[in-house]
Amino acid sequence: MIFQTILLIALGILMLSILANMYRVVKGPSGADRVQALDSIGINMIASIAAYSVLFHTHAFFDLILLIGILSFIGTIAFARFIERGVVIERKR
Amino acid sequence: MKPNNVILQTVTQVAVFIIFTFSIYLFMNGHHNPGGGFIGGLSTAAAIVLLYLSFGIEKVRENIRIDYKKLAAVGVFIAVGTGLAGVIFGQPFLTQIFGHVQLPIFGDTELASALVFDTGVALAVIGTAVNIILSICEDR
């Protein structure tokens, strides 16, 4: 009972963290601030899914944790290349 | 001025191997756990896109000699052929069968014909996803 209460408090704190990152996404001065805030939102989603898995006594979401990590990594690299060079995939050297 | 990509390429050489392994794991445990052919194919396509992002399009095309249009066609052909295999033995279309086989190393293993169908689905998904991204990034 007390353990579930602690998990719910942790989920509320993660929700507040995602909301703070959403403020930075909406009101970032440059594009790089928005990209870093979106990457941080992905990491907070990973932590939220882990807390939910402990709360529901299931291990069906563990693949989803690794998959969100991979997709967040690739998306951040693509956005960084677009900001720096204007071309995501180079055609010729 | 030549851009400096050494950190990105060094991280990619390690990360692509891990993503390929994870996609094979997702593909193989789709029978009793979350996963399956579709998400396995999409993870493999994500690893190939990461290679294209860090090494450029020419160097990857020299090293991975796969025509992705033919790969998608072969995947659809494998899926339809798995469905037609049941018709030969007098069963309805897309009938699947499973049985226990004694393999040399793994021992008593349950093999199902749905694995071949999932292989066709995964090849079709890899071919279509990578082909869409390559068609977008080539400006002709």
Side-chain angles (χ1 to χ4, degrees):
Chain A
M1 188 64 201
I2 187 72
F3 187 63
Q4 289 184 357
T5 311
I6 293 172
L7 279 176
L8 287 174
I9 291 170
L11 281 173
I13 294 172
L14 284 168
M15 186 186 71
L16 289 179
S17 172
I18 288 178
L19 281 176
N21 280 315
M22 282 298 293
Y23 172 76
R24 182 53 61 194
V25 170
V26 170
K27 206 174 159 51
S30 67
D33 293 330
R34 293 187 173 96
V35 171
Q36 284 199 352
L38 284 173
D39 197 10
S40 176
I41 282 176
I43 291 169
N44 284 316
M45 279 170 61
I46 290 172
S48 304
I49 289 168
Y52 265 121
S53 299
V54 178
L55 192 62
F56 291 156
H57 294 287
T58 178
H59 54 83
F61 298 139
F62 288 170
D63 300 335
L64 197 66
I65 292 172
L66 196 50
L67 200 65
I68 287 179
I70 289 168
L71 291 181
S72 173
F73 175 65
I74 295 175
T76 308
I77 283 178
F79 268 120
R81 286 186 69 97
F82 178 71
I83 288 173
E84 187 177 359
R85 244 164 269 171
V87 173
V88 178
I89 297 177
E90 290 179 350
R91 283 196 297 116
K92 280 185 181 180
R93 282 292 167 87
Chain B
M1 177 179 171
K2 196 174 164 186
N4 189 7
N5 278 335
V6 62
I7 295 177
L8 176 62
Q9 288 177 1
T10 311
V11 169
T12 302
Q13 286 172 6
V14 180
V16 162
F17 199 79
I18 298 171
I19 298 172
F20 273 135
T21 312
F22 176 62
S23 79
I24 290 172
Y25 162 73
L26 273 181
F27 172 74
M28 293 299 282
N29 75 342
H31 212 79
H32 302 288
N33 288 314
F38 190 75
I39 188 65
L42 277 183
S43 309
T44 314
I48 294 172
V49 166
L50 181 60
L51 278 177
Y52 276 114
L53 278 176
S54 44
F55 288 103
I57 196 166
E58 294 291 330
K59 192 178 284 187
V60 181
R61 184 170 287 169
E62 287 176 1
N63 289 313
I64 302 178
R65 299 175 176 271
I66 294 174
D67 190 5
Y68 290 102
K69 302 183 185 70
K70 289 179 184 176
L71 189 74
V74 164
V76 174
F77 182 75
I78 287 174
V80 174
T82 309
L84 284 176
V87 181
I88 298 172
F89 296 105
Q91 297 292 324
F93 185 63
L94 282 175
T95 305
Q96 52 174 320
I97 189 171
F98 65 96
H100 291 269
V101 181
Q102 291 289 336
L103 288 180
I105 298 172
F106 301 101
D108 192 8
T109 312
E110 182 185 3
L111 288 179
S113 73
L115 184 68
V116 188
F117 182 77
D118 263 347
T119 308
V121 171
L123 290 183
V125 168
I126 293 168
T128 48
V130 181
N131 197 9
I132 285 169
I133 290 171
L134 287 185
S135 305
I136 288 172
C137 74
E138 286 175 346
D139 43 355
R140 287 179 184 173

